[in-house]
């Protein structure tokens, strides 16, 4: 886990913790694609201070896929004709719920990156 | 052979539920741990003659099978014959692992291949008994399916078959009282190949077929999606059916010359159809009326800013430079409606398309929005991208949303019905189920692309209608080289009130995929498009 001297609230990374205790260290910028995470890291919530977001309803297996998606989205923001990320059939329904929870639906996802400008304040 | 792996039958719902929402992605081979033969607990000895195939006989579980019987009727010798020398009582019953395998592996998923713990499984499959001739002949699907067809459908099948046999390219399925036509039957149409004309002194030439399909005077409620697989379709008549929509995939019928969709229940046409109604396309005859099409609620609409709107929304037009004369249809924009914004399944904008299935005439009138204004619901206004005022590139950029990806995987699930049951059980709101139904429908009728960015989507969230005027257009190219002159002549197809404005639906994949806002005209401008022609 990378914590810089000026404290976790300014770290380049955040930690996402699943219900079964798996921890994923994610580049903050990529994680902020999700409006849900962005809201958690805002201002005075404890998550903002510690840089640790715990998701008690999401298993490590699903969270792993979500993290994979965050990076996939982040990497391809301005790339034309991005190939689809593989979704294992047996995970598709739980991932639907997860997408709903993290607000990673097409309604907002096309626009979230734009607000990256304000994220740099964090 | 009884234990020959076959494609699995659909798993029962409960199992599927477990597999869909399970915590473990890896498919284990069952509760029983693998059984080891205690007498061979140490590794088999390695000899320099390792490549001797006979060595296989020493390794438990990989021994060769022996067969008895004639070559056409052989079957494995008693399964015990090869290893009866080993401790019989220590050995697990020979059939056991196979039974486990039979219901643990999904042959249609393909996922198992990547799993490490199945690799041993895959190895063992090498030792499966080869199919033996005693196996009853597989029942061919067409035989087993036939009884399920209704009399009308069987009739249609017979007609198509006779067209295939006779090499006739005109398939007349009109007035057969068809309520639906199974894709399996309609797909046969693409097998039709014309019988080449053989004449003396003329080189034998296989020409492309030119298939004419008449489905008029039936009771079809849904556009048969198998039609999209008929490559050389030139004439399609669906006149006098009960279609309520035309799927966007109709744009894939590039060879279509004649399209008749009159006397249906269509309220609009897909915007994708416009790709068959522009210079260079082959469509020369189209019958649209009567249909209960949406109409604008004002008689005369101004179309100032139309060019700006079209280029801004859909990107610069592809080069219209024609090298040869052409005759066909073009359209020009008259007006558009406001945009309906939705949120997966619920509409969030003030403007909303009517949802009632049969509409009285006065409700078919839709309000219009000037091309230089754009009403965006307050709730989402702040979330739209900054680039809305730039001319957009018509190229999908960036990744699709996770929700869309997961929905696509769910809709493509081999057992879609059970997947949907699980979904509606898991979620309190019927939010997902509604989105799922819509996505399933879109994927069934051949998919949808975003009209703005061109991305495939099964969850369009913006929708508006363009009212367009149809024109018959002729392009005459004269001269050559530098002095090439193109002359365009256009005539309105219809001036008759109701048939003048034809509604085309546009759909976008995100709240950012919306019409471009043209700049407000400073003076009343005349219709640019028409004056140029
Ligand atoms: Zn789009």
């Amino acid at each position: 886990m990378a914590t810089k001297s000026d404290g976790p609230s300014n770290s380049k990374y955040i930690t996402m913790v699943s219900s079964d205790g798996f921890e994923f260290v994610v580049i903050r910028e990529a994680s902020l694609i999700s409006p849900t995470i962005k809201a958690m890291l805002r201002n005075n919530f404890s998550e903002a201070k510690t840089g640790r977001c715990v998701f008690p309803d999401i298993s490590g297996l699903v969270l792993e896929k979500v993290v994979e998606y965050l990076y996939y989205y982040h990497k391809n923001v301005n790339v034309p004709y991005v190939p689809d990320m593989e979704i294992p059939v047996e995970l598709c329904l739980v991932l639907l719920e997860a997408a709903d929870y993290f607000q990673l639906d097409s309604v907002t996802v096309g626009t979230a990156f734009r607000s990256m400008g304000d994220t740099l304040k964090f | 052979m009884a234990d020959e792996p076959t494609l699995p039958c659909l798993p029962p719902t409960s199992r599927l539920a477990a597999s869909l929402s399970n915590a473990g992605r890896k498919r284990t081979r069952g509760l029983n741990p693998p059984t080891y033969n205690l007498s061979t607990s140490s590794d088999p000895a390695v000899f320099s003659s390792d490549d001797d195939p006979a060595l296989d006989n020493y390794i438990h579980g990989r021994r060769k099978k022996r067969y008895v019987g004639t070559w056409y009727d052989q079957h494995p010798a008693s399964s015990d014959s090869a290893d009866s020398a080993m401790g019989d009582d220590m050995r697990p019953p020979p059939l056991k692992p196979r039974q486990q395998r039979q219901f643990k592996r999904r042959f249609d998923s393909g996922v198992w291949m990547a799993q490490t713990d199945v690799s041993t499984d895959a190895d063992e499959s090498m030792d499966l008994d080869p199919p033996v001739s005693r196996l009853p002949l597989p029942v061919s699907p067409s035989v087993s399916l036939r009884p399920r067809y209704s009399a009308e459908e069987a009739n249609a099948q017979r007609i198509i078959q006779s067209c295939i046999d006779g090499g006739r390219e005109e398939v007349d399925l009109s007035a057969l009282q068809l309520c639906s036509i199974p894709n399996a039957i309609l797909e046969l149409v693409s097998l039709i190949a014309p019988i080449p004309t053989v004449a003396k002194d003329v080189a034998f030439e296989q020409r492309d077929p030119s298939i004419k399909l008449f489905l008029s005077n039936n009771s079809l409620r849904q556009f048969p999606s198998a039609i999209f697989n008929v490559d050389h379709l030139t004439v399609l008549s669906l006149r006098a059916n009960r279609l309520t929509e035309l799927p966007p995939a109709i744009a894939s019928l590039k060879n279509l010359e004649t399209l008749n969709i009159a006397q249906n229940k269509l309220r609009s046409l897909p915007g994708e159809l416009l790709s068959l109604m522009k210079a260079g396309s082959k469509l020369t005859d189209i019958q649209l009326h009567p249909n209960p099409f949406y109409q604008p609620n004002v008689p005369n609409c101004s179309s100032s800013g139309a060019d700006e709107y079209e280029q801004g929304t859909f990107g610069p037009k592809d080069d219209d430079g024609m090298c040869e004369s052409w005759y066909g249809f073009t359209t020009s924009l008259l007006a558009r409606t406001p945009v309906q914004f939705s949120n997966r399944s619920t509409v969030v904008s003030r403007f909303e398309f009517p949802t009632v299935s049969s509409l009285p005439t006065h409700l078919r009138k839709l309000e219009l929005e000037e091309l230089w204004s754009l009403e965006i619901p307050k709730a989402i206004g702040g979330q739209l991208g900054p680039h809305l005022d730039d001319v957009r590139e018509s190229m999908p950029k960036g990744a699709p949303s996770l929700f869309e990806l997961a929905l696509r995987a769910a809709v493509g699930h081999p057992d879609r019905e059970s997947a949907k049951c699980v979904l509606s059980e898991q979620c309190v709101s019927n939010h997902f189920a509604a989105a799922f139904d819509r996505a399933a429908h879109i994927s069934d009728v051949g998919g949808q692309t975003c009209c703005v960015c061109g991305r495939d989507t099964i969850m369009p969230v913006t929708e508006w209608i363009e009212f367009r005027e149809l024109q018959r257009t002729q392009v005459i190219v004269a001269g050559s080289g530098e002095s090439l002159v193109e002359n365009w002549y256009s005539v309105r197809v219809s001036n008759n009130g109701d048939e003048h404005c034809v509604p085309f639906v546009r759909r976008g994949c995100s709240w950012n995929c919306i019409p471009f806002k043209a700049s407000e005209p400073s003076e009343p401008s005349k219709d640019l498009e028409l004056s140029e022609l």
Side-chain angles (χ1 to χ4, degrees):
Chain A
M1 202 179 320
T3 33
K4 282 197 278 177
S5 52
D6 49 355
S9 58
N10 285 317
S11 159
K12 247 183 90 186
Y13 300 90
I14 65 150
T15 308
M16 294 166 71
V17 186
S18 73
S19 60
D20 41 2
F22 285 97
E23 298 194 358
F24 299 89
V25 178
V26 186
I27 295 180
R28 179 183 290 259
E29 201 183 44
S31 76
L32 293 174
I33 293 160
S34 157
T36 309
I37 300 178
K38 197 173 155 187
M40 288 174 102
L41 293 175
R42 186 167 294 154
N43 309 328
N44 299 321
F45 292 115
S46 66
E47 285 91 349
K49 292 185 195 111
T50 57
R52 256 176 93 85
C53 301
V54 184
F55 303 100
D57 294 328
I58 295 174
S59 74
L61 196 70
V62 175
L63 198 60
E64 182 191 16
K65 213 64 192 168
V66 171
V67 169
E68 187 187 333
Y69 177 80
L70 292 176
Y71 277 115
Y72 160 81
Y73 184 88
H74 183 68
K75 202 181 78 190
N76 290 308
V77 174
N78 271 314
V79 182
Y81 302 108
V82 184
D84 281 0
M85 188 179 103
E86 200 105 344
I87 301 284
V89 182
E90 66 271 22
L91 281 182
C92 62
L93 295 186
V94 265
L95 276 173
L96 264 185
E97 285 181 277
D100 187 53
Y101 176 79
F102 286 106
Q103 299 176 55
L104 294 169
D105 47 4
S106 60
V107 174
T108 47
V109 91
T111 62
F113 202 76
R114 169 225 176 192
S115 37
M116 211 54 82
D118 3 311
T119 65
L120 298 178
K121 287 182 212 144
F122 283 108
Chain B
M1 208 79 274
D3 52 357
E4 174 72 9
T6 52
L7 280 176
C9 26
L10 295 175
T13 317
S14 55
R15 267 215 57 224
L16 185 95
S19 72
L20 288 167
S21 54
N22 64 352
R25 176 166 36 160
K26 294 194 171 177
R27 231 173 252 120
T28 49
R29 287 194 51 202
L31 301 171
N32 315 12
T35 39
Y36 297 105
N37 189 331
L38 296 178
S39 63
T40 56
S41 61
S42 50
D43 287 333
V46 176
F47 300 106
S48 57
S49 60
D50 252 2
D51 44 2
D52 179 3
L55 190 70
D56 284 353
N57 290 332
Y58 294 101
I59 301 171
H60 176 69
R62 305 199 111 229
R63 61 193 188 278
K64 293 213 164 177
K65 289 281 180 199
R66 289 181 191 166
Y67 297 93
V68 295
T70 53
W71 60 270
Y72 57 85
D73 190 27
Q74 62 178 200
H75 55 272
S78 145
S79 51
D80 287 339
S81 68
D83 41 21
S84 53
M86 302 161 101
D88 266 325
D89 35 1
M90 309 285 272
R91 220 177 38 243
L95 268 182
K96 204 172 176 189
R98 245 175 233 144
Q99 276 168 348
Q100 285 174 353
R101 200 184 305 132
Q102 210 167 15
F103 56 82
K104 273 300 159 192
R105 219 199 264 160
R106 289 236 202 100
F107 282 82
D108 51 352
S109 84
V111 178
W112 58 274
M113 292 201 297
Q115 308 300 326
T116 43
D117 60 340
V118 231
S119 62
T120 53
D121 221 11
D123 278 349
E124 280 171 28
S125 70
M126 305 298 184
D127 294 340
L128 288 177
D129 300 308
V132 178
S133 57
R134 281 191 305 173
L135 202 70
L137 278 175
V139 187
S140 85
S142 66
V143 173
S144 66
L145 280 178
R146 188 167 288 158
R148 279 196 241 147
Y149 291 155
S150 67
E152 294 86 23
E153 289 164 353
N155 201 6
Q157 190 182 22
R158 212 158 31 238
I159 293 172
I160 297 175
Q161 191 60 50
S162 80
C163 288
I164 298 174
D165 297 343
R168 268 175 291 130
E169 293 154 279
E170 272 191 42
V171 185
D172 188 354
L173 303 175
S174 56
L176 293 181
Q177 280 139 24
L178 292 164
C179 295
S180 67
I181 179 159
N183 283 346
I185 291 182
L186 208 52
E187 264 160 16
L188 296 174
V189 169
S190 47
L191 297 179
I192 295 177
I195 296 174
T197 42
V198 182
K200 211 181 170 194
D201 299 332
V202 177
F204 176 86
E205 203 179 339
Q206 184 75 48
R207 68 176 169 90
D208 281 338
S210 140
I211 292 173
K212 304 173 177 64
L213 181 57
F214 299 93
L215 282 160
S216 41
N217 286 304
N218 285 295
S219 308
L220 299 177
R221 285 165 193 281
Q222 203 170 21
F223 190 95
S225 57
I227 289 179
F228 301 131
N229 299 330
V230 183
D231 282 341
H232 299 287
L233 194 66
T234 55
V235 176
L236 174 62
S237 173
L238 286 157
R239 188 178 54 83
N241 277 282
R242 294 183 187 170
L243 303 179
T244 52
E245 63 162 14
L246 220 53
I250 190 133
S252 65
L253 298 173
K254 296 268 182 255
N255 290 311
L256 209 57
E257 292 163 11
T258 302
L259 176 66
N260 189 337
I261 44 174
Q263 294 179 52
N264 278 284
K265 298 185 169 180
L266 300 172
R267 280 195 259 163
S268 59
L269 299 173
E272 287 78 1
L273 187 61
L274 291 169
S275 72
L276 302 182
M277 299 166 97
K278 63 176 193 191
S281 63
K282 293 184 178 169
L283 194 67
T284 51
D285 189 10
I286 185 164
Q287 298 297 326
L288 302 175
H289 304 284
N291 264 302
F293 283 133
Y294 286 128
Q295 290 297 311
N297 65 353
V298 284
N300 294 311
C301 15
S302 91
S303 62
S304 60
D307 276 0
E308 213 185 333
Y309 155 79
E310 286 189 29
Q311 295 210 8
T313 312
F314 310 113
K317 273 186 201 162
D318 11 330
D319 190 24
D320 271 344
M322 308 268 300
C323 301
E324 47 191 43
S325 303
W326 173 79
Y327 174 76
F329 286 100
T330 55
T331 61
S332 67
L333 184 75
L334 298 172
R336 69 160 170 81
T337 65
V339 182
Q340 170 185 288
F341 291 84
S342 46
N343 174 2
R344 284 184 223 139
S345 54
T346 47
V347 174
V348 296
S349 56
R350 179 195 56 83
F351 176 77
E352 189 173 355
F353 288 104
T355 45
V356 204
S357 56
S358 70
L359 280 179
T361 324
H362 70 278
L363 280 182
R364 272 193 266 131
K365 306 262 186 201
L366 296 180
E367 66 178 283
L368 299 181
E369 187 177 59
E370 297 290 358
L371 294 175
W372 60 83
S373 64
L374 184 62
E375 188 186 336
I376 294 172
K378 278 208 187 71
I380 63 174
Q383 300 180 39
L384 297 188
H387 52 273
L388 280 182
D389 300 328
D390 307 337
V391 172
R392 287 161 236 171
E393 299 166 73
S394 58
M395 184 192 282
K397 273 191 177 173
S401 74
L402 182 61
F403 193 86
E404 167 121 22
L405 286 170
L407 195 57
R408 237 181 265 172
V411 164
H413 195 278
D415 187 4
R416 189 196 278 177
E417 275 313 302
S418 316
K420 204 198 142 190
C421 290
V422 177
L423 190 66
S424 24
E425 277 165 27
Q426 273 178 3
C427 317
V428 195
S429 73
N430 57 1
H431 216 65
F432 286 4
F436 187 94
D437 278 344
R438 189 146 161 264
H441 174 72
I442 290 178
S443 119
D444 282 347
V445 297
Q448 165 91 51
T449 50
C450 171
C451 69
V452 176
C453 70
R455 200 201 304 276
D456 283 340
T457 176
I458 51 173
M459 205 180 58
V461 292
T462 58
E463 189 170 336
W464 69 98
I465 280 183
E466 290 173 3
F467 289 105
R468 288 175 170 268
E469 171 185 79
L470 253 61
Q471 296 151 351
R472 285 190 181 277
T473 299
Q474 186 160 21
V475 184
I476 295 174
V477 180
S480 60
E482 288 293 302
S483 62
L484 202 73
V485 183
E486 272 181 23
N487 289 306
W488 290 61
Y489 307 94
S490 286
V491 186
R492 274 183 191 156
V493 171
S494 164
N495 267 325
N496 165 14
D498 259 12
E499 301 187 1
H500 178 54
C501 294
V502 183
F504 290 89
V505 182
R506 298 291 198 176
R507 293 193 178 99
C509 69
S510 80
W511 285 345
N512 276 333
C513 297
I514 47 178
F516 178 75
K517 206 161 116 184
S519 49
E520 196 157 348
S522 47
E523 61 201 83
S525 63
K526 55 186 192 304
D527 194 339
L528 279 174
E529 190 113 326
L530 273 184
S531 62
E532 270 171 18
L533 294 167

